[in-house]
Amino acid sequence: MKLFYKIFISTLVAFAIIVIFISYVIAKQQISDVEKNLIDEEQILGSFISKQVEVGYFESNWPFESLNKLSNHKGILFWWIVRDDGMIYLADDASFMGTYVKDYFPQIASISEKENVTLNRDQNYGIFFKILETGKRKWSFYLGFSLDPVSERKKQIVSLIAAISVSALTTFGLIVYFATKHFTKPINTLITGTKIVGTGDLTYRIKKESHDELGELANSFNKMTNDLQIITVSRDELLKEIRNRKRAEEEREQLILQLKKALADVKMLSGLLPICSSCKKIRDDHGYWNQVEVYISEHSEAEFTHGLCPDCLKKMYLELDKLKKEKLPDEKI
Amino acid sequence: MTAKLIFKRKTIFFIAILITALAAGFSLFLFSQASGEKFKLTPQIRMEDAIGTKPGVKVGTGWSIKEKPEEAVKEAIEMAMEGKKDKIPDFAIIFASSGSDMKTILSQANKLFKNKTKIYGGTSDSRGVMTNKGFAKATEKGYEYATTEGKRSLAIMTVTSKYITFGVGSADFSDYPSAREASKTAVLNAIKSAGKSKNELPKAVLITPTLGTEEEVVEGIEMVVGKKTLILGGTAGGPSHAVFGENKVYTKGVSLAVIYTNLHIGWTYEGGFNVKEAVSGIVTKVEGQAIVEINNKPALNVYNEWLGGEIDRLFKKYKRTDLIRDLLILHPIYRKLTSPDGKTYFLFSHPWPKDDNLIERSVMTSTKIKVGEKIYLGQGTWEILINRIGSLPINAKLKGKIRPDTKPILGIGYICGGVMGIIPEAERLKLPFLINYTNNDAPFIAPFTWGEQGNFPGIGNKHGNLLTSFIIISDKR
C-alpha cells in the first residue's frame, strides 16, 4: 500500500476514534446535566405545588388555579393528589379520579420515602412523588413529567457534536490529505528521480523544497547523482575510448585480414608456377591449364590490357600480308 | 501514472474521508435514538360504591348522553335500578339538559315506571347535569351559544324508602292568574300526593320553576308551608326551560316535591363569593328585572366604574357580551339580608348588560331588585367557586349537625349554571369527585340551574343567582 494512504488512513482513523470517544463522553456528560437540571426543576415545582396542596387540604380549598397552570406547564404529563388509601382524589384529567395509583405505578405506590423522583427512560417519563404533611392521613402528590426536554436536548447535543465531529473529521481529513501529500511529495519526487536516474539520465536533479530531512535527502540524492554522473562520464569516456580502440582494433583486424588476404593472394603468385613451355599456359592448384593472363588475374590484383609488342606486331603484319597474297584476288580481306 | 488511476485514487481518498465522517455521525445519531416508547396512561375502570346505607332505603343514580330520549331514559333508569326492571321506585328526580325532548322523556319514564313513580324535575343547563357517577356533558357552550343539536344528557335519581315520603306537584302558570297562585296549588297537590294534610308541613320542598317569576313561586309556596320551611331548588336550566308536570311538560310553570321524613336533614344555600362591602350603591330605577339606574346614574356606567372601566374596555376590544357576562359572574352584585338574630346573609344576583351593543346602559338580572335597595359588589374566582361546590356536602352536614364523615343516604344539589360555566371545562368534570369526597360517595344528583332558591333562617326563602345549594338526608348524625 502506498505510503501516502498508509499515513492518511491510519491518521484519519486514529483521529476519528479519538473524536468519537471525546464526543461520546461530552455528550453523555451534557445529557446527564440536562437530565439532572430537569429533575431539579420538577422537584422544585413539585415541592412548591405540594405545599399549596397541603394548605388546600386543611382549608378545603384546593389550589385549582395553580394546579391548572401546572397542567398547562410544558413537559408536565399529569398530576395527582392521592388519598391515603391510594385512590386518586384529584387529577389533571378527571378520568383518573376515583381510580387507584397501584393500577398505574405499583412500584411507586409501595415507596416509603417522603420524597422521591423515579425515572423511566424507556418510556421517556419521570415521576415526582411526595407524601404530604396532612396529619395522620398520608395523602400524597404525584407529578408526572416528560423526559422529552432531555431527549430534545440530547438530539440537539448529539446533532451539534455530530456536526462538529463531521466538520472536524472533514477538515482534519483535508489537512491530513494535504499534509501527507506535502510530506510524501518529496518522497515521490525522490522515487521519480531515482527511476529517471535509473534509466541512465544522470543530469536529473531534484529540486530542494524544504530544509528538513527530506531536503537533506534531496541534497544527498543530487550529490549522489552528481557523483554518479562524474563517474559515469569517466566511464563513458572510457567506454568511448574502449569503443574507439575497439573500432581501431577492428579496423586493424580488418586491415590485417585484408593484408593477410592480399598477402595470401600475393603468396599465391610466389613459388614455382608450372608453365607450359610451348603455349605458356599455367597449371593452377586444381590441375587446369590457364592462360597466363587468366591465372595472374585470378591470383593477384593485376589486370591485363592486351596489346602487341613490336616484334609480334611485325610478325603479325608479315603474316597478314602473306595471307593476303595467298587469297584469291576476288576475295577481299 | 495515468489520469484514470489518479482520479481513482482521489476518489478512494474522498470516500475514505466521507465514510469515516459518516461513521462518526451515525454512531452518535444512533446514540441519540435511544429514547424509547412514548409515555401514555390510560385511565382504569373506576370502582363504584354500592348504593344505599340503610335497610329499607334504596337510592340509585343513573345518567345517559344518548341522542334518542327513549334510549337515554331507559339507559339511565337501568343504571339507577341496577338493571332490576321489576323494581319500581317510589320517587324519581329527573333532570335533562336544555333542548332535550322533555315530553318523550317524561312519557318514557312513566312507561318504564309503570306510572307508579312520583316524578319531579325539569331542564338543567344545556351544558349538562351531574350525579355521583360523573358529569353528563351535553353542549360545549351555554346560553344563546348553546348548540343543542344532537347533544343531550340526562340524569336520574331513584328512591325507594319506607323512611322517606315524597309527594310531587306541578302547575302551569298559564292556568292561573299568577305564578304565586300556581305554586300555591302545586305545593298543596304535592302534600296531598305525599298522603299528608296541609297542616303537616314537609321537612323540605324541592322546587324547579321556569325562568322569570321565581320570587312569586317562593311566595306562593310560603303561603302554604310558611317562611321557616325549607324551600330549596333551582330555576330550570336554559336556554329553553321546561319542568315536569303530571304527564305534562310546562314551559312556564313549576315542578316541586315535598319531603317527609324522620331522618336527619342537612342543607346549605350559599354564594361563595368574597363580599366587598366598600363598593355599593342604591338602586334608583328599575324596569322589571332590569336595574336602570344606580345612584341616579346609568347602572352599567356605575358598574363599569366599580370594575375600573373593565366592562367598556373588554367590549371595545372583543365586541362580545358573553365575555362581559363571564366578567360579571365573577363580580356579581349582592344584597345583604340580616335576620332578627343579627345574622347576615348575602343574596347574589347575576347581572349582565341589557343591550348587546352596550348602548342602552341598563343591567339585567334574573332577580327582582327593588328601588331603594342597596346593592354591593362581590368578587370571586373560579377556584373559589369550584372549592365551594366541593364543600357543599360538608357544609350541609355541618348545618344539619351531622358528622362530616357520615355517609348520607342521598344528596340533591342545585348549582348555578353561570358558576358552572365560569369554571374551565376540564375542571368541571372534577365536580362530581369533589362532591363525592365530602359526600362520602353517597348518591347525589345536581342539575345546573338558572336561579337558585333557598332559605335564610330567620328571614325566609329567597330567590337569587350564582348560588349553590345542597340537601342531604342521613340516617345517622
Side-chain angles (χ1 to χ4, degrees), chain B residues 51 59-63 76 79-80 131-133 156-158 443-445:
Chain B
I51 53 175
V59 180
T61 53
W63 62 274
M79 198 186 292
T131 67
N132 56 298
K133 286 177 179 159
I156 188 166
M157 171 181 270
T158 56
F444 79 86
I445 187 168

Side-chain angles (χ1 to χ4, degrees), chain A residues 1 29 84-85 93 95 100 108 113 126 131 134 136-137 146 152 171 184 189 192 227 235 237 249 259 294 307 330 333:
Chain A
M1 196 182 182
Q29 182 61 39
D84 50 347
D85 60 356
D93 183 349
S95 339
Y100 288 83
I108 296 177
E113 290 171 39
I131 295 178
T134 48
K136 285 182 185 173
R137 288 184 159 186
S146 170
E152 280 165 21
T171 307
T184 55
T189 309
T192 307
D227 292 342
R235 185 206 66 180
E237 282 181 0
E249 183 76 26
L259 286 170
V294 171
D330 59 23
I333 298 166

Side-chain angles (χ1 to χ4, degrees), chain A residues 27-296:
Chain A
K28 205 162 165 63
Q29 182 61 39
Q30 292 270 316
I31 290 161
S32 174
D33 287 346
V34 169
E35 195 176 86
K36 188 176 177 300
N37 287 341
L38 179 69
I39 291 169
D40 288 345
E41 216 176 274
E42 302 303 340
Q43 218 160 359
I44 291 167
L45 188 62
S47 299
F48 176 72
I49 296 292
S50 298
K51 280 285 171 217
Q52 294 193 345
V53 169
E54 282 166 0
V55 171
Y57 173 86
F58 288 110
E59 294 180 358
S60 296
N61 199 30
W62 301 106
F64 279 102
E65 285 194 357
S66 297
L67 290 166
N68 192 247
K69 281 179 189 166
L70 184 65
S71 302
N72 296 324
H73 190 74
K74 192 182 174 186
I76 297 298
L77 298 171
F78 66 88
W79 59 260
W80 296 339
I81 297 172
V82 179
R83 297 185 341 189
D84 50 347
D85 60 356
M87 182 190 272
I88 299 169
Y89 168 66
L90 261 185
D92 60 315
D93 183 349
S95 339
F96 290 92
M97 291 165 68
T99 59
Y100 288 83
V101 173
K102 61 177 171 58
D103 294 332
Y104 311 102
F105 305 110
Q107 74 283 8
I108 296 177
S110 57
I111 288 177
S112 56
E113 290 171 39
K114 275 199 167 179
E115 194 173 302
N116 179 270
V117 175
T118 306
L119 297 182
N120 185 325
R121 290 184 184 83
D122 290 338
Q123 289 188 293
N124 215 34
Y125 72 89
I127 298 177
F128 165 83
F129 156 81
K130 185 174 180 186
I131 295 178
L132 301 171
E133 302 290 335
T134 48
K136 285 182 185 173
R137 288 184 159 186
K138 297 292 174 198
W139 284 44
S140 48
F141 180 70
Y142 287 70
L143 180 67
F145 56 92
S146 170
L147 293 178
D148 274 351
V150 176
S151 303
E152 280 165 21
R153 189 82 185 105
K154 192 194 237 183
K155 281 179 187 164
Q156 282 175 7
I157 291 167
V158 167
S159 301
L160 183 65
I161 288 174
I164 293 170
S165 302
V166 167
S167 305
L169 276 170
T170 308
T171 307
F172 186 75
L174 287 167
I175 292 169
V176 167
Y177 171 75
F178 289 110
T180 310
K181 202 173 173 65
H182 175 75
F183 291 121
T184 55
K185 187 182 171 189
I187 298 171
N188 286 329
T189 309
L190 202 61
I191 293 167
T192 307
T194 310
K195 282 180 181 171
I196 292 171
V197 167
T199 59
D201 181 3
L202 295 177
T203 60
Y204 183 81
R205 298 288 180 273
I206 292 172
K207 192 179 170 187
K208 182 185 173 185
E209 290 175 346
S210 61
H211 299 282
D212 54 16
E213 287 83 344
L214 289 171
E216 287 297 316
L217 185 62
N219 269 350
S220 300
F221 177 84
N222 288 339
K223 187 173 181 301
M224 180 196 74
T225 312
N226 197 48
D227 292 342
L228 268 174
Q229 189 179 25
I230 293 169
I231 294 166
T232 306
V233 163
S234 304
R235 185 206 66 180
D236 284 347
E237 282 181 0
L238 183 65
L239 282 173
K240 192 177 174 185
E241 187 63 30
I242 291 169
R243 268 199 304 276
N244 287 343
R245 288 192 183 183
K246 263 195 176 168
R247 194 168 44 246
E249 183 76 26
E250 278 170 10
E251 283 174 359
R252 193 167 55 247
E253 291 279 327
Q254 195 73 21
L255 189 62
I256 290 170
L257 276 172
Q258 281 175 357
L259 286 170
K260 275 189 177 173
K261 189 180 173 198
L263 194 62
D265 288 343
V266 169
K267 277 183 180 176
M268 287 182 87
L269 284 178
S270 67
L272 291 173
L273 292 178
I275 186 169
C276 177
S277 55
S278 177
C279 60
K280 306 294 176 208
K281 284 188 180 173
I282 300 173
R283 195 180 69 217
D284 62 21
D285 293 331
H286 300 293
Y288 294 108
W289 294 94
N290 298 291
Q291 296 284 337
V292 168
E293 61 270 40
V294 171
Y295 184 88
I296 291 173

Side-chain angles (χ1 to χ4, degrees), chain A residues 5 8 62 65 68 97, chain B residues 9 13 46 383 387 427:
Chain A
Y5 290 107
F8 173 71
W62 301 106
E65 285 194 357
N68 192 247
M97 291 165 68
Chain B
R9 284 188 177 172
F13 149 71
R46 203 176 285 118
E383 182 178 294
N387 276 306
E427 308 299 324

Side-chain angles (χ1 to χ4, degrees), chain B residues 7-82:
Chain B
F7 174 75
K8 189 177 174 184
R9 284 188 177 172
K10 280 190 177 173
T11 308
I12 292 169
F13 149 71
F14 279 117
I15 288 169
I17 291 187
L18 197 62
I19 288 170
T20 310
L22 284 172
F26 187 62
S27 60
L28 289 170
F29 175 75
L30 282 178
F31 172 70
S32 75
Q33 292 306 304
S35 52
E37 303 168 18
K38 275 284 182 188
F39 173 75
K40 195 181 174 186
L41 265 183
T42 308
Q44 299 296 306
I45 296 169
R46 203 176 285 118
M47 300 300 289
E48 291 181 0
D49 282 349
I51 53 175
T53 59
K54 185 182 171 66
V57 177
K58 194 116 177 128
V59 180
T61 53
W63 62 274
S64 178
I65 55 170
K66 282 190 185 298
E67 201 176 317
K68 288 184 179 174
E70 303 91 339
E71 290 174 14
V73 171
K74 186 167 180 285
E75 184 180 41
I77 289 174
E78 278 177 3
M79 198 186 292
M81 300 304 291
E82 292 183 308

